[in-house]
Amino acid sequence: MKYIDHIADPSRPCAIVAHRGAWHQAPENSLAAIENAIAGGYNIVEVDIRRSADGVLFILHDDTLERMASVDRIPEEMTIAEITSLRLRMADGGPDQPFTTETVPTLEQVLETVRGRIFVDLDIKHLELMSTVAAKVKDMGMEDQVDLKARADTPEALAWLARQSGIDGIPFMGQAFFRADSADQTAETVLSIKPFMCEAKFDRLETLAGQHQRLREAGISLWVNSLDPVSCCGLTDSAALADPDAIWGRMMASGISVIQTDQPAALKAYIEARQR
């Protein structure tokens, strides 16, 4: 099934996005973490994309390699051989986590690993690489399995998107911040380009819920993050582990049908329990 078709399916349960893979038993953003996400039965895996000094796209979140590989260097200033020679620390890294045999994967390795197995959210850390990433996706024939994303809630953001070449034919997710005093205008801006999905932030969950129906009628599904560092209004993974009804349940009741989490196993168990 194509990514767009899966997201558009009205009969599916809430989709689970494994943030940087399922990384509790593997280094984040590693091939092992991606394999864990596939084995866990999650719908989407999110990975972070950068480009090496010699032009190779690779997967890493941070601006340096300190947290994940104990090397205080900027990866964009290193060759891909230098980057991939380093071993990654377990889980989310840091000095207390042991080193593993896993190394930083290239985007090409990730796309080959996921082919036909799981959908992929491509988080491009420097958006000027969007056309380059799109070209790699198309070269590997992976257009139906990934998404590209960028802000789509202001005229300036839409003008930037219009200048990007080669991104047509790849599912696009618009990112938007819904505030009570401008939510209708924000929704209209998003609707003008009709992305298949909208990664939403909000001042109150009710603000976003008020826009759900018009977005859904236009074929736009809502994606929200419950990640502790970037969640909105206290709707965090940590809170969800204590009271999933108050967090994930409330999100779903508000029309959110895609949730990105660092606790994919707990979210899956909760969704399955609701279906019984």
Side-chain angles (χ1 to χ4, degrees):
M1 180 180 284
K2 295 180 180 180
Y3 193 1
I4 285 180
D5 293 339
H6 175 73
I7 294 299
D9 182 358
S11 67
R12 67 169 174 85
C14 181
I16 301 167
V17 186
H19 180 235
R20 305 179 196 169
W23 52 260
H24 291 273
Q25 302 300 322
E28 68 176 37
N29 272 321
S30 67
L31 293 181
I34 293 169
E35 289 287 359
N36 288 349
I38 294 168
Y42 313 133
N43 309 96
I44 305 163
V45 62
E46 181 263 4
V47 296
D48 301 289
I49 303 175
R50 296 178 178 274
R51 184 169 62 182
S52 68
D54 50 345
V56 179
L57 298 167
F58 65 93
I59 310 302
L60 186 78
H61 177 269
D62 292 3
D63 292 335
T64 80
L65 284 150
E66 176 65 29
R67 178 170 62 90
M68 292 308 301
S70 295
V71 175
D72 190 14
R73 291 187 62 185
I74 297 171
E76 284 85 353
E77 297 177 355
M78 302 168 65
T79 66
I80 195 63
E82 291 175 312
I83 294 166
T84 57
S85 70
L86 302 171
R87 292 188 302 152
L88 294 171
R89 288 188 179 274
M90 179 60 80
D92 57 352
D96 295 332
Q97 292 286 359
F99 283 104
T100 70
T101 58
E102 290 292 307
T103 59
V104 174
T106 64
L107 176 59
E108 184 170 344
Q109 288 175 315
V110 166
L111 293 179
E112 284 296 353
T113 297
V114 303
R115 188 182 295 276
R117 303 172 75 200
I118 193 171
F119 302 118
V120 189
D121 171 55
L122 302 176
D123 191 344
I124 304 170
K125 306 317 289 184
H126 301 286
L127 280 177
E128 65 269 18
L129 295 177
M130 183 172 285
S131 294
T132 302
V133 172
K136 171 59 74 172
V137 168
K138 290 181 176 182
D139 182 60
M140 296 185 67
M142 293 291 286
E143 298 96 319
D144 292 337
Q145 206 173 322
V146 309
D147 68 52
L148 300 173
K149 64 184 178 184
R151 285 193 62 180
D153 56 356
T154 67
E156 294 78 13
L158 297 190
W160 182 87
L161 283 170
R163 295 193 298 270
Q164 305 314 300
S165 62
I167 67 173
D168 56 300
I170 300 176
F172 179 76
M173 176 165 65
Q175 297 170 306
F177 199 125
F178 292 85
R179 298 174 175 85
D181 60 355
S182 57
D184 287 344
Q185 180 180 347
T186 298
E188 286 300 320
T189 303
V190 172
L191 285 164
S192 71
I193 61 167
K194 295 184 178 178
F196 82 120
M197 195 152 48
C198 177
E199 181 180 358
K201 293 187 175 182
F202 42 88
D203 56 0
R204 297 171 63 244
L205 185 56
E206 292 75 13
T207 300
L208 182 61
Q211 300 300 323
H212 162 251
Q213 189 61 35
R214 66 194 300 201
L215 293 170
R216 186 61 187 166
E217 288 174 357
I220 302 171
S221 297
L222 285 174
W223 161 315
V224 167
N225 302 315
S226 60
L227 311 168
D228 282 12
V230 298
S231 62
C232 295
C233 308
L235 298 169
T236 66
D237 284 336
S238 293
L241 292 178
D243 188 350
D245 284 330
I247 306 301
W248 292 326
R250 190 173 160 221
M251 286 180 170
M252 294 177 208
S254 298
I256 294 157
S257 65
V258 183
I259 297 176
Q260 179 171 212
T261 176
D262 281 320
Q263 301 292 338
L267 176 54
K268 185 181 180 187
Y270 176 68
I271 292 170
E272 290 175 346
R274 284 165 57 98
Q275 293 175 312
R276 294 191 190 108

